[in-house]
Amino acid sequence: MVGWLTNYLELNWIDMIKDVLIGLISGLILTQKSLNDVINNQTTIRESVQYITQTVVVNYPNNYERRTGNKRKTTDDDNSIFGIITVVTIVLSYLYVKYHSELMNFMTSLIVIGVVGTMTVAVKLYRNNSYDKLNRLWTLQLFGILMFDCIQLIVMSKQDISLISTLSLSNFISTAGIDRVARFGVIGVGYILSLLPNVLLFILLIHMLSVNLNRAFNDRVTTFFIRRTVKFTSKPYHMLVAVILVCCFSLFYSTGYVYDMIQKQQESTMLLFEQSVKGNNK
């Protein structure tokens, strides 16, 4: 892990410095100081949520229609679903192993961009006297996601895929074996789950900036972004619990713990079955 991270920093440190400078400068320029004194650094979480929802009216049209048609479940449907899951698992396993290094670089870039964006927004909101308790909660959650990304990166760096990462799909299946293919497929699912908190990270940054800009300008652009992101922020504690659960599930999958648990359960089931067969034969 240390060697890989050192090599990455040596190759990309110039771009990382430019990203930091661009992020800080653009954040300080774009986020104007609000003239509205309704929210300040001491505003509570509930007051901030009420202000956002009352100031920016959000209408959610009910576009969901109930489907009255009942579909009968057949054995062919079960076989088709099982076949699709098998194919997706094999392809996901192969792609995860083949592009393992690129995925680690992508995760590192997310961490750098996330740290720069979070620090920029936090500093600017504090200077604008807009760093209320809700924004502090979002900041804590953002740094928690970034810490989770670092743990995910460490887990990925310890996975040994050097012998099979350059193989074709057919050679990968024959060389790795069914067990390792299934294991890497489960790990790949964990990696996909790890991207969900990062999507929320950028949604929160956009929301925090949009609210601050809307208080200064009250324009349609910021209103549009607030309306699109407020459904993720109207219940901050619920969102915090959801993020923690997704991160935990992602690590369970990424570390292979879920796969090992399933394997142990299958082995114990087979052992009990064999013992019951032997008992019936006596």
Side-chain angles (χ1 to χ4, degrees), residues 235-280:
K235 296 181 179 180
Y237 291 115
H238 293 181
M239 183 56 64
L240 178 61
V241 173
V243 169
I244 293 175
L245 291 177
V246 172
C247 292
C248 291
F249 276 113
S250 175
L251 288 177
F252 283 148
Y253 278 86
S254 299
T255 55
Y257 177 78
V258 171
Y259 180 79
D260 294 337
M261 185 173 60
I262 294 174
Q263 286 290 95
K264 290 181 180 179
Q265 183 64 32
Q266 290 179 346
E267 291 175 357
S268 61
T269 302
M270 290 299 298
L271 181 60
L272 290 175
F273 177 75
E274 291 176 356
Q275 291 177 351
S276 63
V277 171
K278 291 180 180 179
N280 293 330

Side-chain angles (χ1 to χ4, degrees), residues 4-274:
W4 174 86
L5 183 60
T6 303
N7 185 46
Y8 179 85
L9 293 175
E10 289 178 354
L11 296 176
N12 300 277
W13 67 273
I14 297 178
D15 293 333
M16 293 173 62
I17 292 177
K18 289 192 294 185
D19 291 338
V20 171
L21 293 177
I22 293 174
L24 289 173
I25 294 173
S26 61
L28 294 175
I29 292 176
L30 293 176
T31 313
Q32 300 296 323
K33 184 174 178 61
S34 173
L35 300 178
N36 192 339
D37 294 327
V38 176
I39 296 179
N40 54 55
N41 290 348
Q42 304 304 320
T43 306
T44 63
I45 294 176
R46 177 176 296 181
E47 291 172 346
S48 298
V49 173
Q50 289 178 348
Y51 169 81
I52 295 171
T53 54
Q54 291 176 2
T55 303
V56 183
V57 180
V58 183
N59 295 320
Y60 298 107
N62 187 13
N63 295 327
Y64 299 97
E65 297 180 357
R66 294 183 179 180
R67 299 180 179 179
T68 56
N70 294 325
K71 295 183 178 180
R72 294 182 178 179
K73 191 175 181 181
T74 64
T75 306
D76 293 336
D77 294 334
D78 292 337
N79 293 333
S80 299
I81 294 174
F82 180 76
I84 293 173
I85 293 175
T86 302
V87 173
V88 171
T89 301
I90 294 174
V91 173
L92 181 61
S93 176
Y94 175 69
L95 293 177
Y96 179 81
V97 172
K98 186 174 182 62
Y99 299 102
H100 187 265
S101 179
E102 288 78 4
L103 294 176
M104 290 185 64
N105 292 338
F106 177 73
M107 182 65 72
T108 305
S109 301
L110 284 181
I111 295 173
V112 174
I113 296 173
V115 170
V116 173
T118 302
M119 293 181 62
T120 301
V121 173
V123 170
K124 187 57 181 177
L125 292 181
Y126 180 80
R127 291 186 57 189
N128 286 0
N129 197 33
S130 301
Y131 199 49
D132 52 65
K133 293 183 179 180
L134 178 60
N135 284 324
R136 295 178 204 170
L137 176 64
W138 293 142
T139 303
L140 178 64
Q141 186 165 322
L142 292 174
F143 277 115
I145 293 174
L146 293 171
M147 185 178 298
F148 158 74
D149 288 341
C150 293
I151 297 175
Q152 178 73 16
L153 192 62
I154 294 174
V155 171
M156 293 177 66
S157 67
K158 294 182 178 180
Q159 295 166 355
D160 185 14
I161 48 91
S162 57
L163 297 178
I164 56 177
S165 60
T166 58
L167 301 176
S168 62
L169 178 58
S170 59
N171 292 331
F172 167 71
I173 297 175
S174 60
T175 303
I178 299 299
D179 289 339
R180 295 189 69 186
V181 170
R183 183 181 179 86
F184 281 121
V186 171
I187 292 174
V189 172
Y191 179 80
I192 293 177
L193 288 176
S194 70
L195 298 179
L196 298 180
N198 288 279
V199 173
L200 179 63
L201 183 147
F202 290 103
I203 290 176
L204 288 179
L205 289 176
I206 293 172
H207 179 79
M208 294 166 69
L209 281 172
S210 299
V211 170
N212 188 257
L213 287 169
N214 185 267
R215 291 175 58 207
F217 299 108
N218 193 24
D219 59 330
R220 293 183 178 181
V221 177
T222 56
T223 301
F224 171 81
F225 284 111
I226 294 174
R227 286 179 176 177
R228 294 300 181 275
T229 58
V230 72
K231 56 186 175 182
F232 297 96
T233 59
S234 58
K235 296 181 179 180
Y237 291 115
H238 293 181
M239 183 56 64
L240 178 61
V241 173
V243 169
I244 293 175
L245 291 177
V246 172
C247 292
C248 291
F249 276 113
S250 175
L251 288 177
F252 283 148
Y253 278 86
S254 299
T255 55
Y257 177 78
V258 171
Y259 180 79
D260 294 337
M261 185 173 60
I262 294 174
Q263 286 290 95
K264 290 181 180 179
Q265 183 64 32
Q266 290 179 346
E267 291 175 357
S268 61
T269 302
M270 290 299 298
L271 181 60
L272 290 175
F273 177 75
E274 291 176 356

